[in-house]
Amino acid sequence: MSELDTIRATIRMSQQRTFPRHMREFGLDLIVREGVFPPEDFKSWRWFSENFPPFARKRILEIGCGFGLPGLLLAKTGALSLLACDINPRAVANTLENAAANGIENIEVMESDIFNKIPPARKFDIIFWNYPWYFAPADFEFNDDIERGAFDPGYRQLERFLSESPAYLTEGGKILLGFSTNGRDDLLEQLVAANDLNSVIVRCGTYPNVALTYRLFSIYRSATV
């Protein structure tokens, strides 16, 4: 079975559990709803929550919020504000539910395909995406919205993201892109260069019982120091 098939099978099996599911993470009481990318099966959200660079008093945009973490944790523990978005309406509702349950008020949540619903005038100090780095061929067809949290066919979404992000950054603002060692580094490097951007790894590490290394890239405009 290919890696792609294995991931698809894991996602499919994750939806055979009983919902809603309850979790307590980082002092937050959380619910995971059916039809939302399964946090129990993919641990990157936890690693990025634990290893996020300094963000106090920053205006943050999170792409692909899923069930809410790490965005809710950032909003609770020092971010000035958080705008969380997801293409999956079930994820949007789930994040809103978890924000309300934990009394987190400095947050907005909206359904958006990357930037398509975000007002052009909005500017952010940090744009974060725990990117769906598993490579799939350009003609790959999603079975459901959950699979969008794992795959980016042909890395077309990444291409859009990197070309459009600079318009939403404050002066000196940066992109933080979550990426794994089983993603396509060659394509990431090509897209960064094609958009006149620079990148550097600011965090790198593993998680117990996970056979890959997570990395957090800081990506910024060439003129940014």
Side-chain angles (χ1 to χ4, degrees):
M1 182 180 291
S2 70
E3 183 178 46
L4 189 153
D5 290 334
T6 298
I7 298 302
R8 296 190 97 165
T10 299
I11 292 172
R12 184 171 59 252
M13 291 174 61
S14 77
Q15 299 305 294
Q16 297 174 7
R17 300 182 175 119
T18 300
F19 292 93
R21 303 188 67 79
H22 297 268
M23 303 172 63
R24 183 165 178 82
E25 301 289 343
F26 304 105
L28 299 172
D29 291 312
L30 303 160
I31 288 175
V32 180
R33 294 289 181 181
E34 184 177 5
V36 176
F37 195 73
E40 294 157 307
D41 300 283
F42 299 89
K43 300 296 186 179
S44 59
W45 61 271
R46 176 185 284 280
W47 190 88
F48 292 122
S49 294
E50 294 175 341
N51 293 278
F52 209 87
F55 58 91
R57 307 303 297 168
K58 300 294 186 182
R59 289 166 290 186
I60 301 175
L61 168 62
E62 181 185 20
I63 305 294
C65 58
F67 78 118
L69 288 183
L72 293 176
L73 181 64
L74 301 178
K76 180 184 178 183
T77 58
L80 180 65
S81 63
L82 174 78
L83 173 56
C85 67
D86 203 294
I87 195 171
N88 182 354
R90 293 189 179 189
V92 171
N94 202 165
T95 295
L96 279 168
E97 178 181 22
N98 283 327
N102 289 278
I104 300 172
E105 298 181 348
N106 57 333
I107 181 174
E108 302 171 64
V109 189
M110 68 169 61
E111 183 180 343
S112 183
D113 179 2
I114 307 182
F115 298 107
N116 77 325
K117 296 290 181 63
I118 299 172
R122 295 290 296 270
K123 306 294 180 185
F124 304 90
D125 304 305
I126 295 172
I127 299 176
F128 169 65
W129 192 8
N130 181 5
Y131 171 67
W133 57 73
Y134 291 104
F135 185 81
D139 60 355
F140 177 88
E141 295 185 2
F142 295 109
N143 287 329
D144 50 45
D145 282 340
I146 310 176
E147 290 190 345
R148 296 180 186 276
F151 306 111
D152 179 9
Y155 277 20
R156 292 191 302 262
Q157 296 294 320
L158 181 59
E159 183 175 13
R160 271 186 58 205
F161 175 72
L162 291 176
S163 66
E164 296 174 12
S165 289
Y168 292 88
L169 290 171
T170 58
E171 185 175 354
K174 295 182 180 181
I175 300 160
L176 291 176
L177 186 75
F179 207 80
S180 169
T181 47
N182 59 351
R184 289 286 301 274
D185 281 23
D186 58 330
L187 296 181
L188 173 59
E189 291 172 3
Q190 290 175 21
L191 292 171
V192 168
N195 287 282
D196 195 27
L197 298 168
N198 294 319
S199 70
V200 61
I201 296 175
V202 293
R203 296 286 190 274
C204 180
T206 59
Y207 194 81
N209 303 315
V210 178
L212 50 83
T213 299
Y214 298 122
R215 296 167 297 167
L216 192 61
F217 285 83
S218 175
I219 301 174
Y220 52 93
R221 291 171 286 203
S222 296
T224 300
V225 178

